[in-house]
Amino acid sequence: MNQSIRKAAVIGSGIMGSGIAAHLANAGISCLLLDIVPSKLTDEEAAKGLTLEHPAVRNRLATAAIAKLAKINPAPLYDPDFAKRITPGNLEDDLARVADVDWVIEVVVENLQVKRELLRKVEAHWKPGLVVSSNTSGISIDEMSAECGPEFRKHFMGTHFFNPPRYMKLLEIIPGRDTDAALVRRMKDFCENALGKGVVIAKDTPNFVANRIGTYGLLVTLREMAEKGYTVEEIEAVTGPAMGRPKSATLRTLDLVGIDTFLHVADNVHRNVMDGAERAVFEHPALAKELVARGWIGEKAGQGFFKKIKGPDGKSEILALDPATMEYRPQKKVSSGSLEAAKLAKGAREKTKALIAGGDRYSELAWSLLSQVLVYSAAKVGEIADSIEEIDNAMKWGFNWELGPFEAWDAIGLATSALRMEREGLAVPGWVKEWIAQGNTSFYRKGEGGRKFYIHEGRYREAEEKPENISLRALKENGRTIIGNSGASLVDLGDGVACLEFHSPNNAIGSDILSLISQGVEEVRRNYEGLVIANEGRNFCVGANIMLLLMEAQDEEWDEVDGIIRMFQNAMLKIKRLEKPVVAAPHRMTLGGGVEACLPADQVIASAETYYGLVEVGVGLIPAGGGCKEFALRISQSERSPDADLLPRLSQAFETIGMAKVSTSGHDAKKLGYLKETDRVLLNQDRRIYEAKQAVLRMAQAGYEPIPEERVRVAGAEGKAALTLGAIGMRQSGWISDHDLKIAKKLAHVLAGGDVPAGTLVSEQYLLDLEREAFLSLCGEPKTQQRMQHMLTKGKALRN
């Protein structure tokens, strides 16, 4: 199936349609993007003398949507060049071309009749084997295809992408009554492996899974807010990270989605469910209706529950709505014992328990909201999805909850919480009470070897564990830690491959990680076939531990700083000189020292969502863990001829590091020169460790030979002068500060290889010494220390 879908057609070029086309292009799939033919010329088209029959006019909507992809933030494409994989067209001239593709996705307006008519037109050009799907967010798949033939219906299903398609992991696949089951399995595999999605198989019910549960939760929150008089800020404080939910919590989420859109989604359930009590929950809340009536529908209207204004000082300020007066006012800080307890607790399970156990007004709110969602979710098992695992995954992947409903129920104590729910009048579903009566204390349990089980049809069923989804946590629980300390572990992946895992706070590199690297390399040298560098943190690595560096610099302990940098450099060299293959598998934020931990690897297999950058300039420093040295080495290797001009590539590297450029994707990291052409970018982040392990085994089985150390040809004093001149020009133009210029001169000195003649061959150690000297010098600068302090306290760079 992965190979069979090479071409696709997306019908509808709006935000979702163009976003889906963009993500297909991200996956290397050629895509035809179709929309209706415009009925009127624009002024610009008329001025050019075009007519309604001109192809540029007829394809205008799709063409404009493709052009807009480059301007959208966050970017729908991994690389702007991928837009070339999308071809614009229109439904009158180009619909017949769907016969030449492998998958057609309908993404038109959420109207049953419009979708039915379009499917009949698509069927007229349908060929056997062509997969057709609808990106509906809640319309019945069976009703949509009711007027189509039986063979067409076998190949028709819902594929509900979440917005934005590139970034949201969830994809709900909704089979119809007649959809071929084998095709559903193949599409699930394809969407997981080729598109990097987390797929949930949903039932053909109103709003499917995530929107059914999520909308219910939003509605009960608005109702609780109205009945108990909670403020906007109180709702956000309780329903955000304190409960293991995103920072956008509830009301900010509604502003982002659009309150009008939210009511439309709620209305779909209200119209299509038979149970009166459930229908009542999905009625439009009075406050939401009032906001829509006023046009205050959220961010797209400039105001909703929140409103952004410019303050007297010119700075932006976010005001909050006072529902009692329908006026906006400055936000008020919310605090309480339960909220503080949740903030201090580690992990979503402990945060949720602490919040609910707090015994104050906010604990009551958290309990009331959570208990209603848990009971509702349990009542929908079998109706909206077959298993609790599907429902939990849908909420984690579609709404970014850290815990699904049933995982949250386990966290707060299944039996005791169910008793409390019943005492308070909530109708706990019979299957839950029966499960508890049998003596079970959780919906999930772990078995031998880290195997995971969940309740299904009255008994524990083993969760499907794909061999491609390697879990370091499960391996460690199964006793596969080889060595470890507080910052890192070496884990046995099996088949003779070990994995170096960071697990310090934010995966920042300190002496504990560096020590483990040295030990781990020796262990791999003696007993293993090769090494993978990967972890399962939210981010791969945010860089070195700058707090430790700042403390030593402020105390003027220069020998200590020198020792730290030497230790870092030596650890990276040990990785590079290991006589066994090394593959790094970074993901998400991979900054500073995190990049330098990957540069020595034989190959990097990066997640497509990898934001990769040597950002040391942002804290007033330059890379000193081998980052500058590796760039200089690559430039030397790419220009083998003694007469080749190093300056063009050197200038590019100088700009990339000097401007602290961070890639917007794994593909962009290649463009910036951080990744080599032989490095890979993987859409399915869950497969990173597996793919890295396979790459290690392939190299080992092929008879791995380490790359011998070679001399580096440098640009020397001439190159340094050229780079410095460019930096001086930027200072004179006001683009950089005096301190930026000082840093740039140090960077130019290192990248160019110092003051030696152009073309001089130097050792890697020579370049490392230049890095360390420049780093130490900058650590002593007051303005560098100010930048380090600012990053630690504010979390962003200071340009002083």
Side-chain angles (χ1 to χ4, degrees), residues 500 502 507 532-541 583-591 593-599 601 603-613 663 665-666 669 674-675 679-689 692:
L500 173 65
F502 303 163
N507 285 344
V532 168
I533 303 174
N535 62 68
E536 294 170 327
R538 175 172 173 76
N539 297 304
F540 177 78
C541 177
V583 178
H587 65 284
R588 292 183 59 83
M589 300 301 291
T590 303
L591 305 175
V595 173
E596 290 176 310
C598 297
L599 288 174
Q603 187 179 26
V604 174
I605 297 178
S607 163
E609 299 299 341
T610 300
Y611 317 122
Y612 211 75
S663 72
S665 68
Y674 290 123
L675 297 182
D679 294 333
R680 290 177 53 201
V681 178
L682 202 65
L683 267 73
N684 188 331
Q685 182 170 301
D686 297 335
R687 292 175 59 108
R688 285 178 306 110
I689 300 174

Side-chain angles (χ1 to χ4, degrees), residues 348-625:
R349 290 176 62 90
E350 295 305 314
K351 285 180 182 297
T352 305
K353 286 168 61 177
L355 179 61
I356 286 175
D360 58 27
R361 171 178 168 81
Y362 302 121
S363 297
E364 287 302 315
L365 174 60
W367 165 257
S368 179
L369 299 179
L370 184 60
S371 60
Q372 292 180 76
V373 169
L374 299 186
V375 168
Y376 185 73
S377 300
K380 296 302 155 190
V381 175
E383 178 184 335
I384 63 174
D386 279 334
S387 71
I388 67 167
E389 187 182 44
E390 300 262 54
I391 292 174
D392 277 349
N393 284 339
M395 299 316 298
K396 289 188 290 185
W397 298 338
F399 277 71
N400 292 320
W401 292 5
E402 290 187 51
L403 299 174
F406 299 95
E407 292 171 329
W409 207 335
D410 279 355
I412 64 173
L414 173 57
T416 54
S417 60
L419 281 174
R420 180 178 173 184
M421 291 170 189
E422 291 228 285
R423 284 200 308 268
E424 295 176 0
L426 288 175
V428 177
W431 72 266
V432 176
K433 291 191 285 186
E434 185 177 337
W435 182 248
I436 294 170
Q438 292 172 11
N440 295 296
T441 58
S442 65
F443 293 116
Y444 292 93
R445 72 171 176 84
K446 290 182 180 177
E448 293 182 7
R451 294 151 66 203
K452 181 181 177 183
F453 296 82
Y454 64 90
I455 178 179
H456 184 72
E457 297 179 346
R459 61 185 179 84
Y460 277 119
R461 169 192 280 187
E462 185 170 358
E464 180 187 5
E465 295 292 344
K466 297 184 178 181
E468 298 89 352
N469 294 355
I470 293 175
S471 167
L472 296 177
R473 178 181 295 180
L475 288 172
K476 290 194 292 185
E477 288 175 352
N478 200 28
R480 299 281 282 276
T481 301
I482 304 164
I483 51 174
N485 60 29
S486 60
S489 297
L490 192 69
V491 182
D492 186 352
L493 298 180
D495 301 315
V497 181
C499 179
L500 173 65
E501 177 202 22
F502 303 163
H503 46 67
S504 63
N506 295 317
N507 285 344
I509 298 176
S511 58
D512 48 1
I513 290 179
L514 297 175
S515 174
L516 199 284
I517 289 174
S518 296
Q519 295 175 58
V521 165
E522 292 306 315
E523 180 70 25
V524 172
R525 177 176 284 118
R526 290 192 302 267
N527 300 314
Y528 289 84
E529 295 293 319
L531 176 68
V532 168
I533 303 174
N535 62 68
E536 294 170 327
R538 175 172 173 76
N539 297 304
F540 177 78
C541 177
V542 297
N545 186 339
I546 60 173
M547 180 179 288
L548 175 62
L549 286 168
L550 177 61
M551 289 170 59
E552 299 291 4
Q554 288 176 333
D555 291 341
E556 298 186 0
E557 297 286 352
W558 304 121
D559 287 343
E560 291 295 327
V561 177
D562 182 73
I564 292 168
I565 303 309
R566 285 180 186 272
M567 188 179 185
F568 200 131
Q569 291 180 341
N570 290 338
M572 298 306 105
L573 276 180
K574 284 187 176 182
I575 293 172
K576 185 164 188 176
R577 302 286 177 247
L578 179 63
E579 299 88 353
K580 307 288 179 73
V582 178
V583 178
H587 65 284
R588 292 183 59 83
M589 300 301 291
T590 303
L591 305 175
V595 173
E596 290 176 310
C598 297
L599 288 174
D602 296 288
Q603 187 179 26
V604 174
I605 297 178
S607 163
E609 299 299 341
T610 300
Y611 317 122
Y612 211 75
L614 292 169
V615 296
E616 285 83 352
V617 168
V619 289
L621 299 167
I622 68 162

Side-chain angles (χ1 to χ4, degrees), residues 154 294 316 333 395 475 724:
K154 279 185 182 180
R294 291 175 180 236
S316 295
K333 186 173 176 58
M395 299 316 298
L475 288 172
T724 302

